[in-house]
Amino acid sequence: MPTASATHLVLIPSYDPGPKVYETVAEALRYWAPVWVVVDGSTDGTAEGLVEMARHHADLLVIVEPYNRGKGAAVLAGLTRARAEGYTHALCMDSDGQHPASLIPAFMQASGAQPKAMILGVPVFAADAPRARVYGRRLSNLFTDIETLGHHIGDSLFGFRVYPIAPLFRIMSARRSMRRFDFDPEAAVRLFWEGVTVCNIDAPVRYLRKTEGGISHFHYVRDNLLLTGMHIRLIFGLLYRLPRLLRPGARPRSCRR
C-alpha cells in the first residue's frame, strides 16, 4: 500500500514523454499518495491517457495546461494549486522513467524529519550512462559551488527533489526566470540564499535509450545558452548577497547521506 499524506505530494511535470509516463506514474502511485501530474501542453496523446488513468486512481490528479511553457512553469502551476489545498512539500520527479520511484518514501521521510530543508537527489550513474551527460553537468555544478560559496548542492541539475512549497512559491512568484530548463539549478541556489537547509541524498539515475522509450527534450544550443545566462544572473546575485552570506552562521547547513 502506498503511504498517504496530507502534507507531502509527488509532483510530476510532463511534456511529450511518450508511453513511458504511464509506467512512471504507476510506479509513483505504488509508493505514495497523492501523485499529481502537470501536463505541460503535450501533443503526443499522453494528456488524454493520463486523464483516463486518473479516472481509475483516486490518488492521481492530472492538471492539463493548454500550452507548453516549460518545466519550471509546470512545477509552478502544481505548486500554486498544492499551496491552495494546504500541502507543504512537493517531491518533484521527471516523467521519463529516469528517477527512482522506490526512493520516494525515503526522501519524504527525510523531509518529514527536516521540514525546513530541501532534500536534493545526487545522481549515481550506471556504467552505461552517456559520458557527455555525466561530464557536461560538472560545469553547472562548478558554477553552483561558486554561487553557494562551497559544495553545498550535490548536483545542480538532478530533478528528483523534495521542496518546501512556501519559500519556493515565493521565490518563483517574484521573477520571470526559472520557468524552463533553468528551474532545477536556480531553485536550489535561490532557496539556499534564503536560508533553506540542504540535505543531499544519493539516488540512482537511468538514462533510457530510444529503444527503451527514452525521450529527451534538451536542445543543446538553446538550453546551454539558457543555463549560461542563468549562471551569469546568479553570479551577480551572489555579489549582491555576499556581505550577508559571509557573516558567521549566515549560510544554511548542508548534509550528505
Side-chain angles (χ1 to χ4, degrees):
M1 291 291 293
T3 301
S5 175
T7 58
H8 289 58
L9 60 87
V10 173
L11 181 60
I12 305 176
S14 180
Y15 170 66
D16 285 356
K20 198 69 179 177
V21 67
Y22 305 123
E23 179 183 329
T24 300
V25 173
E27 278 292 292
L29 286 166
R30 282 184 57 196
Y31 295 100
W32 202 260
V35 173
W36 290 12
V37 181
V38 180
V39 178
D40 186 34
S42 292
T43 58
D44 63 350
T46 53
E48 295 80 3
L50 288 166
V51 169
E52 179 62 27
M53 189 176 183
R55 292 194 180 102
H56 303 281
H57 293 275
D59 296 324
L60 175 61
L61 172 69
V62 177
I63 302 169
V64 180
E65 296 290 302
Y67 305 108
N68 173 241
R69 297 184 297 160
K71 177 181 181 179
V75 170
L76 181 57
L79 295 179
T80 302
R81 179 159 176 175
R83 178 172 171 268
E85 296 191 14
Y87 289 95
T88 59
H89 294 76
L91 183 149
C92 294
M93 63 183 295
D94 291 349
S95 62
D96 57 6
Q98 292 189 10
H99 294 161
S102 61
L103 288 185
I104 290 174
F107 273 59
M108 295 298 205
Q109 184 178 21
S111 176
Q114 300 183 76
K116 294 185 178 180
M118 51 178 159
I119 314 300
L120 307 183
V122 180
V124 178
F125 296 101
D128 60 349
R131 295 295 95 186
R133 291 289 189 92
V134 175
Y135 293 118
R137 68 196 308 125
R138 292 183 181 178
L139 182 59
S140 182
N141 292 340
L142 174 62
F143 277 109
T144 301
D145 289 347
I146 294 170
E147 291 149 9
T148 58
L149 301 179
H151 189 66
H152 298 283
I153 296 169
D155 189 274
S156 62
L157 295 172
F158 195 49
F160 190 78
R161 300 170 168 181
V162 184
Y163 293 106
I165 289 175
L168 181 57
F169 178 82
R170 184 173 62 251
I171 288 169
M172 294 189 74
S173 298
R175 55 189 41 83
R176 295 182 179 179
S177 60
M178 303 172 63
R179 298 301 191 264
R180 293 192 174 274
F181 195 74
D182 55 347
F183 166 72
D184 290 313
E186 188 163 355
V189 170
R190 290 194 180 276
L191 284 170
F192 178 87
W193 287 349
E194 291 295 313
V196 176
T197 301
V198 181
C199 182
N200 296 291
I201 301 179
D202 288 346
V205 60
R206 298 172 60 202
Y207 278 108
L208 302 175
R209 301 180 180 88
K210 288 185 178 181
T211 55
E212 299 173 299
I215 294 176
S216 175
H217 296 294
F218 183 82
H219 293 267
Y220 188 83
V221 175
R222 182 198 68 190
D223 289 329
N224 276 314
L225 287 173
L226 180 68
L227 290 175
T228 299
M230 176 206 68
H231 283 302
I232 292 172
R233 186 170 62 249
L234 291 178
I235 290 293
F236 278 104
L238 171 66
L239 295 176
Y240 172 76
R241 293 168 175 82
L242 198 55
R244 175 176 62 83
L245 291 172
L246 289 175
R247 292 191 208 123
R251 277 171 280 171
R253 295 180 296 107
S254 62
C255 66
R256 179 72 179 264
R257 295 186 183 182

